[in-house]
């Protein structure tokens, strides 16, 4: 009898880079979920390319609170928002921007001395 080779191919080994990307996506998803929970129970996001630095995940909560996170790649950012289960928009359009609520800190940082706030360093 002739020996036959198994038709099963061995599972590809996860590279160190893949493992690191998976861990980063999981960590970002945890932060996104916590953000949504703190800001009205849900959030929307938008992914913005930052060049070599990576991808910015801009978040807007149901209560208008906002924040952002940075992922090392678009794939990691996409995986993180999918794990978190948030709605992702293609652009940060007027409808999304209208939901953002800014406070005194943001106004003073954006306008600086024009409205009597502290100067931006």
């Amino acid at each position: 009898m002739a020996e036959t080779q198994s038709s099963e191919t061995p599972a590809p080994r996860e590279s160190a880079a893949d493992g690191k990307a998976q861990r980063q996506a999981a960590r970002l998803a945890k932060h996104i979920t916590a953000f949504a929970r703190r800001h009205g129970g849900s959030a929307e996001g938008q992914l913005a390319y930052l060049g070599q630095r990576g991808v910015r995940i801009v978040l807007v909560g149901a209560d208008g609170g906002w924040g952002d996170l940075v992922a090392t790649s678009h794939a990691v950012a996409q995986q993180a928002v999918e794990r978190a289960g948030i709605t992702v928009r293609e652009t940060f359009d007027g409808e999304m921007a209208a939901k953002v609520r800014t406070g005194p800190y943001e106004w003073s940082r954006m306008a600086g001395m024009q409205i009597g706030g502290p100067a931006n360093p």
Side-chain angles (χ1 to χ4, degrees):
M1 253 182 150
E3 284 188 39
T4 60
Q5 290 185 338
S6 171
S7 62
E8 292 181 34
T9 58
R13 296 184 70 193
E14 188 176 275
S15 72
D18 289 341
K20 185 175 180 180
Q22 293 288 327
R23 288 188 301 276
Q24 184 187 33
R27 189 170 48 254
L28 288 169
K30 186 186 287 189
H31 287 293
I32 294 166
T33 302
F35 174 88
R37 198 172 23 252
R38 283 191 314 271
H39 293 281
S42 65
E44 292 182 83
Q46 191 264 332
L47 305 182
Y49 180 65
L50 293 175
Q52 288 182 338
R53 175 69 177 113
V55 174
R56 181 179 184 206
I57 305 169
V58 182
L59 301 167
V60 178
D63 68 353
W66 61 279
D68 66 348
L69 298 164
V70 176
T72 55
S73 71
H74 189 274
V76 169
Q78 187 66 42
Q79 187 177 19
V81 295
E82 287 172 3
R83 283 183 178 196
I86 66 168
T87 301
V88 180
R89 294 179 173 258
E90 286 291 319
T91 61
F92 195 92
D93 58 12
E95 185 181 333
M96 190 170 176
K99 294 178 182 182
V100 174
R101 300 290 171 243
T102 55
Y105 172 78
E106 288 85 6
W107 280 103
S108 69
R109 296 295 297 165
M110 288 186 281
M113 294 189 316
Q114 289 87 359
I115 61 169
N120 293 333

